[in-house]
Amino acid sequence: MERCDYVNDNLKLIQDTEGLTFGTDALLLAGYINGKHKCAMELGSGTGIISMLLLTRDKAERVVALEVQQEYAKLTSRNAELNGLSDRMECVCTDLRDYKSECEFDLIYTNPPYMKTDSGKKNLTEKKNIARHEVHGDIYDFCKHARKMLKFGGKFAAVYRTDRLIDLIDAMRQSKIEPKRMTLVYADTDSEPSMALVEGKAGGKSGLLVTKQLTIYRDKSHKDYTDDMNYIMENGSFPSDYKR
């Protein structure tokens, strides 16, 4: 039930065909994060692709990846080893609510479960249910524990569904992570926004930059990327006019 693909940055990625596979949300979150961070943490690593993209692009020197599902924690470790990143990337199988860190982090990022436990159709496999539903903590738990592990002034980055964007913003502010930059993502020019990329600062002052929207495809045929999306695919980062 596994396959190995070559993905962005020539990374080899082992994926569970019965679980969640590499998607646009993970690619965009990795591209949205700017700068170089000495010590970073991912909350809910899945296959480990976001962390590996940050490492290969020198956006992070070292990563600790937390993953609650044992199968995916092992998969993250295997992918790190497969790509020669084991010395810079450690995966810990734990519920983030139980994890105690001995150090503070410059950056924490997440592509968290986006559905409440009582919403949406249940998936065929339990691993998908846990990845998509807030079984092991909701967005308030993610933000609360991210703030505990972030140094003052550290960055928090997340990709989230737009229909729950208010919950993300509220959770960040309750945890004293101030939203500083946000980009809405549209599949094409005729669609409503499907996701939001949000960056916050631990202990930051009020002041949010809402960038221009990112449109992925030129039209509803979804055959050709827009110029901005092509830039992200080629450079692993967003164009300068999306940055603060």
Side-chain angles (χ1 to χ4, degrees), residues 221-235:
S221 69
H222 288 195
K223 292 181 179 179
D224 297 316
Y225 286 138
T226 61
D227 290 343
D228 283 345
M229 190 63 189
N230 275 320
Y231 182 96
I232 295 167
M233 295 293 291
E234 292 171 7
N235 296 278

Side-chain angles (χ1 to χ4, degrees), residues 65-116:
L66 304 189
E67 173 54 53
V68 70
Q69 297 194 67
Q70 188 174 33
E71 287 181 65
Y72 281 112
K74 290 180 179 179
L75 193 57
T76 293
S77 296
R78 289 170 62 199
N79 278 321
E81 183 177 1
L82 182 64
N83 290 280
L85 297 170
S86 296
D87 59 332
R88 301 169 61 199
M89 181 173 169
E90 175 190 5
C91 185
V92 181
C93 184
T94 183
D95 188 312
L96 66 92
R97 295 169 295 184
D98 299 328
Y99 184 75
K100 307 295 182 184
S101 176
E102 296 181 358
C103 65
E104 293 182 316
F105 292 83
D106 308 307
L107 167 71
I108 295 180
Y109 50 95
T110 184
N111 180 7
Y114 51 82
M115 300 179 72
K116 296 181 179 180

Side-chain angles (χ1 to χ4, degrees), residues 9 19 27 52 55 84 87-88 103 115 130-131 141 200-201 228:
D9 296 39
L27 175 67
M52 292 193 298
L55 290 169
D87 59 332
R88 301 169 61 199
C103 65
M115 300 179 72
I130 292 174
D141 292 314
K201 185 177 182 180
D228 283 345

